[in-house]
Amino acid sequence: MLLMHFLRALSNLGLYYTFAGTVAGAFGASMALANLLAQSACFALSALLQRRRWARLAALVPAILLLLGVGTVDRLAALPGLAYLAYLAWQGEYSLRWGWQADVFSLLWKAFLPFAPLSALFGCQESIVTQGMPVFLTAAVSSVLLLRSIRHGPEIYCQRRYQARNWLAVALLLGGAWLASTDWSMACVGFVYTWVVVPVLLGIAMAVGVVCMTVLPLLLRLVVGLINLLFQKGGEPPPAMSSFDDILFKVQKMAGVNEGFGRDFLTALVILISAGAALWLFRWMVRRRPGPEGDASAQLERASLPEPPKDERPVLPGTYAGRVRSQYRRFLKLCQKNGVELAPADTSAEVSRKAAAWTADRPELEALEGIYRRARYYGQASREDVAEAKRLYAKLRKSMK
């Protein structure tokens, strides 16, 4: 469970640090990924000590001490994430819910796709590459690993073999995130930007310029002519139109006088918007409640099969297990065709419970579920199991019509 809570923190806090780290990086911050890893590790430790409130909160102390050695901007950017973890530790909120984590992942990539080019447009290319992108990749891969794991329930993702694969994936993830934040990565991105992105952008700009140079003067002459016909007597141009250069000079002069004020105002506006967005984000994450799939860490309907000793496990052709799973997929399509509402996070036990309302053959449902479980999670199936799965499917298809 330690790894699951670590991935949960990487996913949820990564959603915040992807954007906060980019904005803070524009003001000189450089510790977004370090703060994310430290706070996530402290949250995982807090989950191990969740029986006592004081121990849960004490586990977050290393993340607090880390803030003492960073700059002011990094400290300000890290405080909301730390406050979020402190709230979870105070409430004892350590549940793992598939639907909720799916919402976090969906918001992460949907918000980052427009955010990245907009940040580059406003001159934050270095910040988005060295701060935002590594955190985004870390959070995205962590979300995928977490969703893949808690989809099966504790009886599956707590197995040693499964945990070993996940730890290896996390190690590769952290290594890739570190590599993405190095100067070498920045040089590679700069090369691609200079020799690939810039020529494409210049080509688009030249095409737009040609269109503007040919079309806009015609439109401008048409507008000026209409104004002269409607508002001017004697054919003389309006004073405002004849003194366009003077107006432009006055505007530029005003902009020069107020340049410092405009920069300060824009900075304050960015800070206020960022603070408001962070407040909304954490309130959204705190207020989320478990959906129909319930709590993956306390799933009552997930029934685990007793694991047979290794020397007694039959070695069967993998095609038999695959054919059983194929029959079960046909059964799922049959359920949906007959109006059974299935969610992506539904387990086989939940599918049987929902399908029971549409058929009286409940023993057949339980039998098909048992054959599927052995084929799905242990790879165990025989020719007789395949034939039995087909027979059960045929009987259920008749009873659900």
Side-chain angles (χ1 to χ4, degrees), residues 301-370:
E301 295 192 22
R302 295 183 186 269
S304 58
L305 296 175
E307 186 173 356
K310 293 183 179 180
D311 54 351
E312 297 181 6
R313 294 180 185 177
V315 180
L316 299 174
T319 54
Y320 291 155
R323 290 164 66 181
V324 168
R325 296 177 64 178
S326 176
Q327 288 296 322
Y328 195 78
R329 284 193 294 269
R330 294 180 62 191
F331 169 68
L332 294 178
K333 293 179 180 179
L334 174 67
C335 291
Q336 293 176 332
K337 183 179 179 181
N338 286 274
V340 181
E341 296 183 0
L342 301 179
D346 285 343
T347 62
S348 56
E350 292 165 344
V351 171
S352 298
R353 177 179 58 81
K354 293 181 178 180
W358 297 82
T359 178
D361 296 330
R362 297 192 178 185
E364 283 71 12
L365 283 175
E366 296 177 359
L368 180 60
E369 178 188 346

Side-chain angles (χ1 to χ4, degrees), residues 15-64:
L15 175 60
Y16 164 71
Y17 278 110
T18 296
F19 308 102
T22 302
V23 175
F27 295 93
S30 60
M31 297 289 291
L33 184 60
N35 284 324
L36 171 64
L37 297 178
Q39 293 181 4
S40 299
C42 289
F43 178 76
L45 178 61
S46 177
L48 292 181
L49 307 173
Q50 58 182 284
R51 294 185 178 181
R52 297 181 181 273
R53 178 178 290 179
W54 67 266
R56 300 196 302 258
L57 295 173
L60 303 180
V61 172
I64 300 177

Side-chain angles (χ1 to χ4, degrees), residues 135-400:
V135 175
F136 168 75
L137 294 176
T138 302
V141 178
S142 299
S143 293
V144 172
L145 291 175
L146 182 61
L147 290 172
R148 174 179 172 270
S149 299
I150 63 178
R151 170 64 182 85
H152 300 303
E155 70 275 7
I156 302 300
Y157 64 69
C158 287
Q159 296 178 0
R160 291 184 178 179
R161 184 184 303 176
Y162 201 99
Q163 289 287 312
R165 291 198 300 265
N166 275 354
W167 276 113
L168 177 60
V170 170
L172 295 175
L173 164 66
L174 298 181
W178 170 81
L179 186 63
S181 62
T182 59
D183 294 337
W184 179 84
S185 175
M186 186 66 185
C188 292
V189 173
F191 177 83
V192 174
Y193 180 80
T194 302
W195 296 101
V196 178
V197 178
V198 170
V200 173
L201 294 179
L202 286 177
I204 296 175
M206 291 179 61
V208 173
V210 171
V211 173
C212 292
M213 292 177 62
T214 56
V215 177
L216 289 183
L218 297 177
L219 294 177
L220 183 60
R221 292 177 183 176
L222 179 60
V223 172
V224 172
L226 291 175
I227 293 176
N228 288 332
L229 291 175
L230 293 175
F231 300 101
Q232 193 64 27
K233 297 180 180 179
E236 293 293 333
M241 296 299 296
S242 61
S243 58
F244 178 78
D245 293 338
D246 296 335
I247 296 176
L248 181 61
F249 175 76
K250 292 179 182 180
V251 172
Q252 292 176 343
K253 184 178 180 181
M254 290 177 62
V257 172
N258 297 322
E259 182 179 0
F261 172 77
R263 183 168 54 251
D264 295 340
F265 176 78
L266 182 60
T267 301
L269 184 62
V270 170
I271 293 175
L272 289 177
I273 293 176
S274 302
L279 178 62
W280 173 86
L281 175 64
F282 286 119
R283 289 185 64 183
W284 176 79
M285 289 198 294
V286 166
R287 290 183 177 182
R288 300 296 290 177
R289 293 294 182 265
E293 74 278 0
D295 188 347
S297 61
Q299 186 64 267
L300 300 178
E301 295 192 22
R302 295 183 186 269
S304 58
L305 296 175
E307 186 173 356
K310 293 183 179 180
D311 54 351
E312 297 181 6
R313 294 180 185 177
V315 180
L316 299 174
T319 54
Y320 291 155
R323 290 164 66 181
V324 168
R325 296 177 64 178
S326 176
Q327 288 296 322
Y328 195 78
R329 284 193 294 269
R330 294 180 62 191
F331 169 68
L332 294 178
K333 293 179 180 179
L334 174 67
C335 291
Q336 293 176 332
K337 183 179 179 181
N338 286 274
V340 181
E341 296 183 0
L342 301 179
D346 285 343
T347 62
S348 56
E350 292 165 344
V351 171
S352 298
R353 177 179 58 81
K354 293 181 178 180
W358 297 82
T359 178
D361 296 330
R362 297 192 178 185
E364 283 71 12
L365 283 175
E366 296 177 359
L368 180 60
E369 178 188 346
I371 296 175
Y372 167 73
R373 283 175 180 270
R374 290 191 296 273
R376 171 66 178 84
Y377 298 115
Y378 297 100
Q380 296 180 1
S382 63
R383 183 177 301 174
E384 291 75 15
D385 291 331
V386 175
E388 181 66 10
K390 291 181 178 180
R391 186 190 69 81
L392 293 172
Y393 167 76
K395 189 171 182 179
L396 290 171
R397 183 178 59 181
K398 294 180 180 179
S399 65
M400 296 181 70

